[in-house]
Each structure stands twice: as structure tokens, then as C-alpha cells.
Amino acid sequence: MGKKYQKKVSHIIRNKVGYLLLASSKDPRLSEVTITDVSVNRDTSRAEIYYSIIGTPEDVAEMQAVLDGAAGWLRAELAPTLRLRNIPKLVFKYDPSMEYGGRIDALLGELLDDDEDNEDDEDITDDGEFDDTESGEDFTATE
């Protein structure tokens, strides 16, 4: 199969699985999952579905077990949409990219907070000019 076909099947699986987890599942935990990517192999016999959730490593392990248990139901729901001779085996893999992004965001936030604390604003006025009136000297302009 061609790359364009693989990409199309991956896109369909991603959209349909995301919809099914959000709208059709009876397990409320499945609505917390975000599908980040789907990779279908060349003969479309296997689809690796990458997901992300916000939580602890224990939450991730629990969600992996829940998703593995729901794989059969999802496969049966995908069959009418895909209309393929063989419906791909669904393999769920945790995608830590959102966790890494959150960590980087937190680190950047800490850096910005440190920069704001270290700024010396007292000698600069709102218009960006130097203000020396606090030094006790009266400055008068001569014409």
C-alpha cells in the first residue's frame, strides 16, 4: 500500500477512535484520553495509536490496561467506517510529549518569574526615561 493510503487510514482511525472514546464509551475514564497520533503499518494489519493523559505513572498504567481492554470494542466499531478486508489490530502506546511540554512550560514560567523579580524598575519611569528625583537632587533645566 502507498504512503497516501496509509496516511488516509491513519487519519480515519484517529478521528473515529477519538470520537468513540469521547462520545460512545461507557467507561468515563476513556473520555480523559487524547489521541495524539496513529501509525498504520504498510499492509494495514496493525495500527499503533499514541495517546496522552494528564496524571501520575499509575494513572498511565491503569489507562493502558483500560485501553487494551477496549481495543476489541473499538475494532468492531471501526469496521463499518474503514470498510477494509482486515481491520487492523489496535495497539495503544503512551505518548509523553504533553508531559514534556508541561514540564518545559513550567520551567519557562519559573525563569520568567525570576526575571521579573530581579528587574530594577525603581529608576525607570513608565515612558522609559531615567528618573533621578529619588536621589534628592533637584534638576532644573536652564534655557
Side-chain angles (χ1 to χ4, degrees), residues 32-51:
E32 299 172 6
V33 174
T34 301
I35 303 299
T36 58
D37 195 20
V38 175
S39 176
V40 178
N41 67 348
R42 194 164 173 78
D43 64 352
T44 66
S45 63
R46 177 182 166 106
E48 293 179 350
I49 301 174
Y50 297 92
Y51 70 95

Side-chain angles (χ1 to χ4, degrees), residues 53-63 94 99:
I53 63 167
I54 297 173
T56 63
E58 293 81 23
D59 294 337
V60 173
E62 180 184 349
M63 188 56 66
Y94 177 66
E99 181 181 324

Side-chain angles (χ1 to χ4, degrees), residues 9-132:
V9 171
S10 295
H11 181 72
I12 292 170
I13 291 173
R14 181 178 180 200
N15 288 341
K16 186 68 175 180
V17 168
Y19 173 77
L20 289 170
L21 293 177
L22 187 62
S24 298
S25 71
K26 294 180 182 176
D27 191 344
R29 296 175 294 183
L30 291 176
S31 63
E32 299 172 6
V33 174
T34 301
I35 303 299
T36 58
D37 195 20
V38 175
S39 176
V40 178
N41 67 348
R42 194 164 173 78
D43 64 352
T44 66
S45 63
R46 177 182 166 106
E48 293 179 350
I49 301 174
Y50 297 92
Y51 70 95
S52 184
I53 63 167
I54 297 173
T56 63
E58 293 81 23
D59 294 337
V60 173
E62 180 184 349
M63 188 56 66
Q64 182 69 45
V66 170
L67 287 169
D68 289 341
W73 168 73
L74 289 168
R75 224 175 143 206
E77 293 291 321
L78 280 172
T81 303
L82 290 178
R83 294 182 290 169
L84 297 173
R85 182 177 298 220
N86 297 315
I87 303 302
K89 178 183 177 189
L90 304 180
V91 179
F92 290 93
K93 293 188 174 188
Y94 177 66
D95 181 9
S97 62
M98 290 180 79
E99 181 181 324
Y100 291 143
R103 183 169 175 250
I104 290 171
D105 190 40
L107 290 172
L108 289 173
E110 288 177 20
L111 286 174
L112 288 175
D113 288 343
D114 288 345
D115 285 347
E116 289 175 1
D117 292 342
N118 292 333
E119 284 184 7
D120 194 16
D121 295 336
E122 55 199 41
D123 291 337
I124 299 177
T125 62
D126 288 339
D127 58 359
E129 295 183 14
F130 186 72
D131 183 18
D132 64 348

